[in-house]
């Protein structure tokens, strides 16, 4: 029989999921941060990652629409502001587009998402569907990968600036704000989960929700590695299909 954990024990279990399964451990990220990719491969990463960035405010709006708790809605809507801004030209999505444009990718092509890998689109939609369909507590818990994001952001910015002449501080400006936003959001979500996961089944469910989110992030990198690194099988219609890579 599963035993009810204390709040601290639950937090430790959640952190152990990230230590084992967060996507900073993926081989593609090791290549990206270590300077082992060429420009086209970095472009492919930025283009595909846009699909995920663009879906974040959609999943957050979905979560807000599901709750009758005004405190949760009030606090969670800051995430929408972080990504969409309060006016055109603001927010995290615009800053991500500054990265793709700094990599000489056409904005319309990026925002259409038609050249992204099918597996990328499927993984991102699975996350949105999870937040829409699963119990609210699990939807909140799925955001807890933000507990681990400051580490990967630091690795990414330091490694990419050191290893790629075509990357600048300006093109990586998206990550500056996330160093403050992600810990703030993670602290709130972690506190919410620890207070509301009151039964052993609920605790196991939130642990599984975090595992699912780790799988979503990992699957996107699996797709990138398979298409653009090894064996290099880019599906028809995706960015780089039948191009010469060097």
């Amino acid at each position: 029989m599963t035993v009810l954990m204390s709040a601290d024990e639950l937090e430790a279990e959640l952190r152990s999921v990230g230590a084992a399964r967060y996507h900073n451990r993926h081989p593609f990220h090791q290549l990206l941060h270590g300077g082992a990719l060429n420009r086209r491969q970095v472009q492919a990463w930025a283009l595909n990652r846009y699909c995920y960035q663009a879906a974040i405010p959609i999943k957050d709006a979905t979560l807000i629409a599901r709750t009758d708790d005004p405190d949760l809605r009030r606090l969670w809507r800051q995430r929408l502001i972080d990504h969409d801004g309060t006016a055109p030209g603001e927010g995290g999505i615009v800053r991500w587009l500054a990265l793709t444009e700094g990599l000489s990718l056409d904005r319309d092509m990026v925002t259409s998402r038609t050249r992204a890998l099918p597996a990328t689109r499927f993984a991102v939609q699975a996350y949105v569907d999870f937040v829409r369909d699963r119990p609210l507590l699990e939807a909140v818990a799925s955001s807890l990968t933000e507990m681990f994001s400051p580490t990967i952001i630091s690795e990414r910015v330091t490694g990419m600036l050191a290893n790629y002449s075509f990357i600048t501080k300006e093109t990586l400006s998206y990550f500056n704000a996330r160093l403050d936003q992600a810990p703030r959001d993670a602290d709130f979500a972690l506190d919410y989960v620890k207070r509301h996961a009151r039964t052993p089944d609920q605790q196991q469910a939130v642990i599984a929700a975090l595992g699912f989110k780790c799988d979503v992030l990992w699957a996107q990198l699996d797709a990138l590695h398979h298409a653009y690194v090894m064996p290099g099988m880019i599906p028809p219609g995706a960015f780089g299909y039948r191009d010469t890579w060097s």
Side-chain angles (χ1 to χ4, degrees):
M1 183 177 69
T2 306
V3 177
L4 181 67
M5 291 178 277
S6 69
D8 288 344
E9 289 171 335
L10 176 58
E11 179 176 346
E13 285 295 317
L14 291 166
R15 292 190 180 279
S16 73
V17 172
R21 298 174 60 179
Y22 192 55
H23 65 312
N24 65 318
R25 300 173 63 88
H26 196 284
F28 188 89
H29 265 316
Q30 308 293 327
L31 297 172
L32 177 67
H33 301 165
L37 301 182
N38 61 38
R39 181 185 177 91
R40 293 283 273 168
Q41 290 167 321
V42 176
Q43 287 177 317
W45 164 75
L47 180 149
N48 277 270
R49 177 77 181 197
Y50 174 81
C51 294
Y52 176 75
Q53 302 301 141
I56 290 174
I58 296 171
K59 69 90 181 173
D60 286 330
T62 300
L63 190 149
I64 290 170
R66 297 188 57 200
T67 178
D68 57 5
D69 181 349
D71 290 332
L72 179 56
R73 290 199 302 268
R74 190 177 300 112
L75 287 163
W76 209 270
R77 72 187 182 202
Q78 181 60 48
R79 296 167 180 249
L80 295 177
I81 295 171
D82 291 343
H83 284 85
D84 286 342
T86 57
E90 298 178 356
I93 293 177
V94 169
R95 288 193 293 273
W96 193 269
L97 288 170
L99 168 60
T100 60
E101 290 175 353
L103 290 168
S104 302
L105 292 168
D106 177 76
R107 177 181 281 229
D108 289 340
M109 186 262 288
V110 172
T111 57
S112 75
R113 286 163 277 190
T114 57
R115 303 292 300 281
L117 296 167
T120 298
R121 298 196 300 268
F122 297 158
V124 169
Q125 189 59 49
Y127 183 33
V128 175
D129 293 347
F130 184 95
V131 172
R132 181 194 65 204
D133 297 337
R134 299 297 298 172
L136 182 64
L137 179 60
E138 294 175 40
V140 171
S142 68
S143 74
L144 286 174
T145 49
E146 290 176 317
M147 291 193 295
F148 319 114
S149 62
T151 297
I152 199 171
I153 289 172
S154 298
E155 292 173 355
R156 182 175 296 152
V157 171
T158 300
M160 293 183 75
L161 286 175
N163 291 301
Y164 299 112
S165 61
F166 50 85
I167 292 291
T168 68
K169 290 182 178 180
E170 289 70 29
T171 56
L172 295 181
S173 64
Y174 168 84
F175 298 108
N176 295 333
R178 293 304 298 161
L179 285 170
D180 294 323
Q181 293 167 357
R184 176 206 66 203
D185 293 344
D187 287 347
F188 171 78
L190 179 60
D191 177 70
Y192 183 94
V193 166
K194 288 164 67 175
R195 285 188 293 108
H196 288 84
R198 302 189 185 104
T199 70
D201 286 348
Q202 288 176 327
Q203 290 181 336
Q204 292 304 311
V206 298
I207 293 168
L210 177 56
F212 166 81
K213 175 63 179 305
C214 288
D215 289 345
V216 167
L217 296 171
W218 197 277
Q220 292 176 67
L221 296 183
D222 276 349
L224 284 165
H225 196 277
H226 186 269
Y228 299 109
V229 181
M230 189 175 63
M233 294 177 62
I234 304 172
F239 176 74
Y241 180 62
R242 290 183 174 169
D243 287 357
T244 299
W245 291 73
S246 61

